[in-house]
Amino acid sequence: MAYQKKVSFLWLFVPFFLIAQKPSKPTSSEIFHQIQKLNFIGSVLYIGAHPDDENTRLISYLANDIKAQTTYLSITRGDGGQNLIGSELSEILGVIRTQELLGARKTDGGNQRFTRAVDFGFSKNPDETFRIWGKQEALADVVWAIRSLKPDIIINRFDHRTPGTTHGQHTASAILSYEAYDLARNASQFPEQLKYVDVWTPKRLFFNTSFFFYGSQEAFDKADKSNLSKLETGSYYTNLGLSNGEIAALSRSNHKSQGFGSTGSRGNESEYLEYLKGSAMKKKSDIFEGVTTTWLRFSNGLAIRDIMDQVELQFDFKNPSASIPKLLEAQTLINKIEDDYWRKIKLNQINEIIASCAGLFVEAVSSTDATSPSQEIKLKLELINRSNFPIALSGYKVSTSQGSELPNLQLNNNVSNRLETTAQIPLEANYNSPYWLNEKGSVGMYKVVDQELTGLPETPSGITVDFSISLNNKATIFLRREVVFKSNNPIKGEMYQPLYVLPPVTVQILDKVLIFKDNSAKNISVRVNAIKSGISGELHLELPEGWHSEPKNTTVTFLNGETEKNITFSVTPPETDSEGIMVPKFAYQDKIYHAEKIEITYDHIPKQVVLLPAESKLVKSNIKIEGKKIAYIQGAGDDIPSGLTQIGYEITELKQNEITAERLKSFDAIVMGIRVYNVLDDFEPQQNILLQYVAEGGTLLVQYNTDSRIKTLNFSPFPIKLSRNRVTEEDAEVRLLDPNLEVLNFPNKISNLDFSGWVQERGLYFPSEWGSEFTPVLGMNDFKEPERLGSLLVSKYGKGHYIFTGLSFFRQIPAGVPGAYKLFANLISIGKNGK
């Protein structure tokens, strides 16, 4: 019973979430660095709008030089951006960028938080941003972050006073921070939060300014900086063997989906903070002025400080375990700190430091990579003490079990101890898919019902093991380990990934959009996955009114080790044009399962499994095409080829080295994927071949590229100047500049109705100038902005046609927008009407 009480109390000592990764095996120098961080009592909250907004150089400095508890609050998860490493967009891209941020924080020493706000795409001003987010909801989440993290210092990445000069979400993040700073201490504001947290008053608020906000480095160099705090951030950390600039670059390089690989810097560097509000400062270089950042912050802190000073002074890099007795003395005193917030943090830190000093390896591994409610799984526990300090495992408890195991196992020096146990997954267990995707939210805000989950970077681990470790029979430390799955890859070696609790059955329709051009039925394949063999149930398709399937339902049984089956339905559309959603549903043991399992696998992040509603969009629309064979050259990656296949095109995706004059002769048109000229190197020879193809009568359709990272300068046969012009309002009015143009009439008649139902935006990076050879086709603009004419430019070149468009087809085609399909088909069909 005594051990059970200790285990229940253990929940106070550990983080609410754990990240699946290889176990930490710090060196002596890294342990010493952790001890130094243990001895700093202070925290910083750095606030920006998106993944990649954070200043990793400053975060690393705060975490590793000052050694403050430093957290980056990204208002969004970056769901509205583009993806340079794959075709994932929207909420799935947000999952990738969440993990990239966690990788960045693991690198620079910071922590990570979010709000529920959705990155809905580029916004030109904060008013638009707040209209979509819902300002009060976003403000509540920032107040929640301040109250739960209790930062002494808050630093804004952006300036709250300059709306319209940068992304609207950027400015909005600063406005939220500026207002939340005062609201967090007011008990009448968001009182529902006070069930979980107390009000909090930070010491002061800063704005992390730089040359960017002054227009140029030259302007910033000349600016009066008397009101700024200057921090020298070019430190070299001998314990880590890296400069602050090198750590910052390694951290930023985690943002691979945005192509932000960075080269490290060495030598003197400076960061500037502008004081905004809070306690005034006498010494501008000390941003923590007036905050007690030593153990003296607590009533018993003098005794802790004296002990920890000795630990630092006497630390033996050849024998870190020599520090354990003093660390245990400090741990006893830390356990008596009245400040609940800091007690939990510092107890967890010192427990892990003690384990590291002993070279104590503790791991819990599952026999399977996925399980489901009511299943039992086998666990393997490994513990090894690599020191001479007397250590024993006095007990452990699996989070899904009622009782505890009390092995009282002595952990002798360098002797591996392996135990086996089981975990019974409760019938009511939650799935550990990203929690913010569990329920349907709004365009601007994810729906999170559980207040305590709000802002966490990922879903808390489904299964953990709590270990009670006895040291010298006098003291106890508590360690929590997430149960993970471990395998060996013949190329990469030891591989770790999270253990996922998933539904017993998941379903999937591979084609997210199904286009029916006429009344003919289509065979639709539904993939059904079972967590184990032996499951049997009924599968049917839930269809919009007027649509029919054959069969209406069918029995699916998994036998003899089967866990995956593809079931075919014949789906017939109505006679008239129609749009709707089709949902596959599987009935098993009195429950209906209709979630799709999406796996995300990239080398730089842990494997992610996401559960989303399984559905496909059905569209009945008479979309005409001319020509059949299309070559598609991928750039940053998009899903347009699969959409074009839906309406009858034969798509061949060409690699760069496959672009030859002879090969191109067989195609009716060539389509360049998004950002081709931003991501493909040494493309000039292939571009010359493409332009020659156009001159000889072919059609080349080029989609958007950014002006800042263009690698191929002669991408157009005529002058064209890219810009950052865009129309972000997806319902902005579109004007047909000349309704008689071929591209608006053949083979499909295009009207204003074809621009309804667009998602996220009209388009981006429109050219601002172009040669007279081009004909602009469309006019559009955001509210109170001038008309933009560069979204779609058509030109004749030799015997063929060259088209440049910034319209966001890469979003509209995967979303099944009929008008986008029709317009895209017209662009590919240009010149083929025989006139």
Side-chain angles (χ1 to χ4, degrees):
M1 287 296 293
Y3 174 67
Q4 285 182 323
K5 289 182 179 178
K6 288 179 182 177
V7 168
S8 64
F9 192 60
L10 169 64
W11 288 95
L12 297 177
F13 298 148
V14 295
F16 189 48
F17 65 95
L18 297 156
I19 303 170
Q21 56 190 15
K22 289 186 178 181
S24 175
K25 304 170 187 176
T27 65
S28 293
S29 293
E30 290 169 333
I31 294 170
F32 185 70
H33 189 69
Q34 292 169 359
I35 290 171
Q36 291 179 314
K37 295 186 75 171
L38 175 70
N39 289 333
F40 188 90
I41 319 297
S43 60
V44 179
L45 182 62
Y46 192 91
I47 300 179
H50 311 104
D52 88 340
D53 283 347
E54 81 273 26
N55 183 341
T56 55
R57 191 165 64 183
L58 183 55
I59 288 176
S60 176
Y61 170 78
L62 293 167
N64 297 301
D65 194 304
I66 293 182
K67 299 179 176 61
Q69 180 96 354
T70 306
T71 301
Y72 175 48
L73 175 63
S74 180
I75 302 296
T76 77
R77 297 177 184 265
D79 351 55
Q82 283 80 53
N83 184 359
L84 293 185
I85 60 173
S87 60
E88 299 91 350
L89 294 173
S90 302
E91 62 274 321
I92 302 302
L93 178 58
V95 173
I96 293 172
R97 291 191 172 175
T98 292
Q99 292 299 317
E100 289 178 340
L101 271 177
L102 287 171
R105 299 294 80 76
K106 180 184 175 185
T107 303
D108 59 34
N111 302 311
Q112 186 60 51
R113 285 291 179 105
F114 296 92
T115 75
R116 294 167 296 160
V118 175
D119 176 7
F120 54 82
F122 190 84
S123 170
K124 295 180 178 178
N125 60 72
D127 290 338
E128 177 192 13
T129 298
F130 289 138
R131 186 171 66 250
I132 295 174
W133 282 349
K135 184 177 180 182
Q136 284 301 106
E137 290 183 88
L139 194 55
D141 284 5
V142 179
V143 169
W144 168 256
I146 294 172
R147 287 174 173 173
S148 57
L149 296 173
K150 299 185 181 300
D152 299 302
I153 305 299
I154 298 178
I155 302 173
N156 292 346
R157 183 65 182 109
F158 299 102
D159 191 346
H160 68 286
R161 299 158 297 193
T162 56
T165 60
T166 182
H167 194 320
Q169 294 179 20
H170 290 169
T171 311
S173 71
I175 292 173
L176 291 172
S177 174
Y178 191 83
E179 296 184 12
Y181 180 91
D182 296 313
L183 297 177
R185 65 170 177 259
N186 188 338
S188 68
Q189 298 296 317
F190 310 109
E192 67 280 359
Q193 297 178 1
L194 301 182
K195 176 182 177 182
Y196 310 97
V197 293
D198 297 322
V199 295
W200 179 251
T201 304
K203 192 68 174 178
R204 55 183 64 92
L205 173 69
F206 294 98
F207 159 47
N208 180 199
T209 190
S210 69
F211 76 90
F212 173 83
F213 299 96
Y214 285 73
S216 68
Q217 184 65 55
E218 182 181 7
F220 186 58
D221 291 340
K222 295 177 180 178
D224 178 11
K225 301 183 183 64
S226 60
N227 65 328
L228 304 181
S229 294
K230 181 180 179 181
L231 305 179
E232 296 297 338
T233 60
S235 307
Y236 173 67
Y237 307 119
T238 56
N239 294 337
L240 305 178
L242 293 167
S243 70
N244 191 68
E246 289 171 323
I247 293 174
L250 290 170
S251 174
R252 190 161 184 80
S253 294
N254 279 277
H255 295 299
K256 299 186 187 304
S257 67
Q258 303 190 65
F260 282 147
S262 184
T263 300
S265 61
R266 291 149 292 278
N268 294 330
E269 292 177 321
S270 301
E271 288 291 335
Y272 293 88
L273 303 180
E274 179 186 352
Y275 166 82
L276 295 179
K277 64 168 67 174
S279 179
M281 302 166 62
K282 294 180 181 178
K283 186 180 179 182
K284 293 191 182 303
S285 61
D286 181 11
I287 63 172
F288 279 93
E289 182 183 276
V291 179
T292 303
T293 59
T294 69
W295 291 107
L296 297 180
R297 189 164 182 158
F298 314 117
S299 60
N300 64 342
L302 179 60
I304 302 174
R305 187 195 67 178
D306 290 345
I307 294 170
M308 291 307 303
D309 282 349
Q310 293 180 58
V311 171
E312 271 203 55
L313 184 64
Q314 299 171 8
F315 185 77
D316 186 344
F317 286 85
K318 292 184 178 180
N319 181 25
S321 65
S323 296
I324 292 178
K326 286 294 181 183
L327 287 168
L328 289 174
E329 288 182 40
Q331 187 229 33
T332 300
L333 294 172
I334 291 171
N335 195 29
K336 298 177 181 178
I337 291 173
E338 302 94 338
D339 188 317
D340 187 58
Y341 174 77
W342 282 112
R343 184 178 69 254
K344 293 175 187 177
I345 290 174
K346 294 304 176 181
L347 271 175
N348 182 63
Q349 288 178 352
I350 199 168
N351 284 348
E352 292 294 343
I353 288 171
I354 291 168
S356 296
C357 284
L360 182 61
F361 178 90
V362 181
E363 182 178 76
V365 176
S366 166
S367 59
T368 181
D369 64 342
T371 185
S372 65
S374 77
Q375 277 196 287
E376 184 179 85
I377 60 172
K378 295 179 180 180
L379 303 181
K380 292 184 178 180
L381 313 180
E382 181 182 356
L383 301 94
I384 183 169
N385 168 22
R386 289 169 287 194
S387 75
N388 288 316
F389 200 88
I391 298 177
L393 171 65
S394 56
Y396 67 87
K397 181 181 182 301
V398 180
S399 60
T400 60
S401 303
Q402 293 297 318
S404 307
E405 300 293 331
L406 307 171
N408 197 24
L409 176 65
Q410 195 67 35
L411 304 181
N412 297 319
N413 184 12
N414 214 32
V415 175
S416 179
N417 299 272
R418 299 175 186 271
L419 305 173
E420 293 188 358
T421 187
T422 60
Q424 180 69 42
I425 313 303
L427 181 62
E428 68 279 5
N430 293 323
Y431 308 135
N432 54 339
S433 175
Y435 69 88
W436 61 95
L437 300 178
N438 284 346
E439 298 195 38
K440 187 174 181 60
S442 65
V443 173
M445 192 69 60
Y446 287 118
K447 183 178 181 180
V448 179
V449 176
D450 187 342
Q451 177 66 57
E452 292 184 289
L453 287 177
T454 299
L456 294 183
E458 55 185 348
T459 304
S461 174
I463 310 171
T464 57
V465 180
D466 297 331
F467 295 88
S468 177
I469 308 295
S470 173
L471 295 102
N472 204 20
N473 292 319
K474 294 181 180 179
T476 300
I477 63 172
F478 300 98
L479 303 175
R480 172 167 294 177
R481 293 295 181 260
E482 175 184 1
V483 175
V484 296
F485 177 71
K486 183 169 68 172
S487 60
N488 184 72
N489 182 289
I491 306 298
K492 300 173 184 177
E494 189 176 55
M495 301 287 290
Y496 283 80
Q497 70 177 59
L499 167 67
Y500 280 96
V501 178
L502 302 171
V505 178
T506 55
V507 290
Q508 179 186 25
I509 300 175
L510 296 181
D511 293 315
K512 300 308 174 193
V513 175
L514 291 155
I515 308 292
F516 291 73
K517 296 172 58 178
D518 53 35
N519 297 331
S520 301
K522 281 191 177 186
N523 287 335
I524 307 300
S525 179
V526 179
R527 180 177 296 170
V528 186
N529 288 92
I531 202 80
K532 62 178 182 178
S533 183
I535 288 174
S536 181
E538 293 290 321
L539 176 68
H540 76 278
L541 296 179
E542 186 176 271
L543 296 164
E545 185 177 355
W547 295 72
H548 304 282
S549 73
E550 182 61 40
K552 285 188 169 21
N553 56 67
T554 184
T555 300
V556 183
T557 302
F558 295 89
L559 298 174
N560 303 320
E562 295 175 321
T563 57
E564 179 176 301
K565 285 193 171 185
N566 291 310
I567 309 300
T568 300
F569 291 84
S570 177
V571 175
T572 304
E575 294 187 2
T576 58
D577 285 359
S578 174
E579 293 183 44
I581 300 298
M582 173 173 61
V583 181
K585 294 190 172 183
F586 192 94
Y588 169 62
Q589 291 186 343
D590 300 323
K591 289 187 177 180
I592 302 296
Y593 296 94
H594 53 87
E596 174 183 358
K597 180 179 69 173
I598 301 170
E599 295 187 356
I600 306 171
T601 55
Y602 287 101
D603 287 344
H604 68 296
I605 62 174
K607 176 183 175 181
Q608 299 296 297
V609 176
V610 182
L611 297 175
L612 289 178
E615 58 185 36
S616 289
K617 185 174 182 179
L618 300 176
V619 177
K620 165 68 185 307
S621 180
N622 184 20
I623 301 172
K624 302 181 181 70
I625 66 172
E626 288 292 330
K628 194 78 172 177
K629 296 184 177 181
I630 307 298
Y632 203 93
I633 302 168
Q634 284 282 11
D638 58 66
D639 277 339
I640 289 179
S642 61
L644 298 182
T645 302
Q646 286 283 331
I647 58 175
Y649 286 111
E650 296 177 8
I651 305 297
T652 301
E653 294 197 34
L654 293 182
K655 303 294 184 183
Q656 185 171 346
N657 61 1
E658 296 174 331
I659 302 173
T660 64
E662 188 62 30
R663 185 74 187 276
L664 297 188
K665 288 179 181 179
S666 62
F667 296 109
D668 297 306
I670 314 293
V671 179
M672 309 297 280
I674 61 173
R675 298 176 72 166
V676 162
Y677 304 118
N678 294 135
V679 300
L680 297 186
D681 295 315
D682 304 318
F683 198 74
E684 296 283 351
Q686 289 79 24
Q687 182 63 19
N688 291 333
I689 294 172
L690 289 170
L691 293 179
Q692 184 60 36
Y693 163 81
V694 178
E696 293 174 358
T699 297
L700 177 63
L701 172 58
V702 177
Q703 298 183 80
Y704 93 93
N705 287 261
T706 65
D707 57 343
S708 60
R709 299 183 184 182
I710 202 78
K711 295 182 178 181
T712 303
L713 298 178
N714 69 329
F715 62 85
S716 169
F718 307 117
I720 192 169
K721 182 179 180 181
L722 300 181
S723 75
R724 300 186 69 83
N725 290 343
R726 60 208 302 162
V727 175
T728 62
E729 297 169 12
E730 66 271 19
D731 56 354
E733 181 187 354
V734 176
R735 290 167 290 282
L736 311 183
L737 300 179
D738 182 355
N740 296 317
L741 288 175
E742 179 187 346
V743 292
L744 298 177
N745 290 277
F746 179 82
N748 302 286
K749 178 69 175 177
I750 302 298
S751 72
N752 293 94
L753 293 176
D754 292 303
F755 295 93
S756 62
W758 283 48
V759 298
Q760 186 160 320
E761 61 195 352
R762 289 297 189 196
L764 63 171
Y765 296 105
F766 297 164
S768 58
E769 299 177 18
W770 50 86
S772 59
E773 297 86 352
F774 283 107
T775 300
V777 178
L778 305 172
M780 60 186 71
N781 59 277
D782 283 326
F783 183 63
K784 291 186 177 180
E785 288 205 353
E787 185 175 46
R788 310 294 184 189
L789 302 179
S791 66
L792 178 56
L793 303 174
V794 178
S795 68
K796 193 86 166 60
Y797 178 62
K799 298 178 181 178
H801 292 83
Y802 176 93
I803 304 168
F804 188 94
T805 181
L807 293 171
S808 59
F809 287 111
F810 71 102
R811 297 194 190 280
Q812 315 313 320
I813 297 295
V817 179
Y821 274 87
K822 290 167 64 178
L823 180 56
F824 206 95
N826 281 17
L827 297 177
I828 294 175
S829 303
I830 192 170
K832 298 178 175 63
N833 63 351
K835 294 181 181 179

